[in-house]
Amino acid sequence: MKLLEQRIQKDGRVLGDDILKVDTFLNHQVDPELMQDLGEAFAQAFAQHKIDKVVTVESSGIAPALFTGLALHVPVIFARKNKSLTLPDDVYTADVYSFTKQTTNHIMIDHRFLNRGENILLIDDFLANGQAISGLLDISHQAGTHVVGVGIVIEKAFQKGRAILDAQGIDVVSLARISNFENGQVVFATE
């Protein structure tokens, strides 16, 4: 998606060898018009599937997932990272390691929101090592839902996340694929 690549080049900041900071438009401050374009792109990419729900992990996946749900006219569910007093004990859970935060989160979704046999689309902001998506796949398996595909805003193709999903036969659509960082600049993968 050329618009997204241009925005990454304009506002993204490379930190070290493997971190891209996009907090000006995706995961701290959010550009709603860009999110709407991303949601429409995901909806179009998965239009051949019957999708019952869009699922993501809080918090950076919520904005692109919400606009995808809007474009598809389906509910959006996000896995919580912290148990609140209002969340029941009857939840699907998985552990997800965050490379950027160096912590493991115990993500959870209330049983009421995922139903056996539903077709779900997973959306996330980044695909690097595949931990967040693997956690959502685990929860999907527990719930007996069918994952029709995975939509990723930014994929770091030089890390193992895509290979993990490809090995499972999962359809992955990434709107921007980064092959590497070079001299503090983003180099996009050519398809």
Side-chain angles (χ1 to χ4, degrees):
M1 179 177 199
K2 198 49 103 178
L3 178 66
L4 177 59
E5 290 178 0
Q6 291 169 346
R7 190 65 181 269
I8 291 167
Q9 287 177 320
K10 177 180 175 265
D11 294 329
R13 293 185 323 167
V14 175
L15 305 176
D17 294 331
D18 52 9
I19 296 176
L20 175 64
K21 192 168 176 133
V22 288
D23 60 347
T24 61
F25 63 90
L26 179 60
N27 56 19
H28 195 93
Q29 174 174 275
V30 177
D31 179 335
E33 290 176 351
L34 178 61
M35 293 306 110
Q36 185 171 20
D37 291 340
L38 300 179
E40 289 170 2
F42 285 133
Q44 183 177 14
F46 293 100
Q48 74 276 19
H49 297 285
K50 178 192 178 298
I51 297 169
D52 298 304
K53 294 178 180 166
V54 173
V55 180
T56 192
V57 176
E58 71 175 346
S59 64
S60 298
I62 293 174
L66 185 60
F67 280 97
T68 303
L70 180 64
L72 292 168
H73 306 283
V74 299
V76 176
I77 302 165
F78 64 90
R80 293 178 174 263
K81 291 181 182 174
N82 297 299
K83 187 162 176 23
S84 70
L85 292 175
T86 61
L87 193 65
D89 291 330
D90 196 17
V91 294
Y92 300 112
T93 64
D95 288 331
V96 172
Y97 179 75
S98 170
F99 175 79
T100 53
K101 294 183 179 97
Q102 303 285 301
T103 60
T104 298
N105 292 300
H106 191 67
I107 65 170
M108 58 204 82
I109 295 177
D110 187 323
H111 278 202
R112 296 176 302 153
F113 300 131
L114 290 176
N115 302 299
R116 181 167 301 282
E118 285 183 320
N119 293 318
I120 63 172
L121 174 62
L122 306 181
I123 299 289
D124 207 6
D125 60 339
F126 274 93
L127 176 61
N129 293 309
Q131 296 298 305
I133 293 298
S134 291
L136 290 176
L137 289 169
D138 183 7
I139 286 174
S140 171
H141 179 72
Q142 293 171 47
T145 61
H146 172 68
V147 175
V148 300
V150 173
I152 300 295
V153 176
I154 302 169
E155 176 187 343
K156 293 193 269 181
F158 57 90
Q159 292 181 297
K160 66 183 179 182
R162 169 70 73 127
I164 291 169
L165 299 176
D166 285 347
Q168 296 177 59
I170 296 171
D171 184 18
V172 180
V173 172
S174 298
L175 299 182
R177 295 188 74 223
I178 297 171
S179 67
N180 63 302
F181 300 130
E182 194 172 286
N183 300 320
Q185 299 298 310
V186 174
V187 178
F188 291 103
T190 55
E191 300 291 337

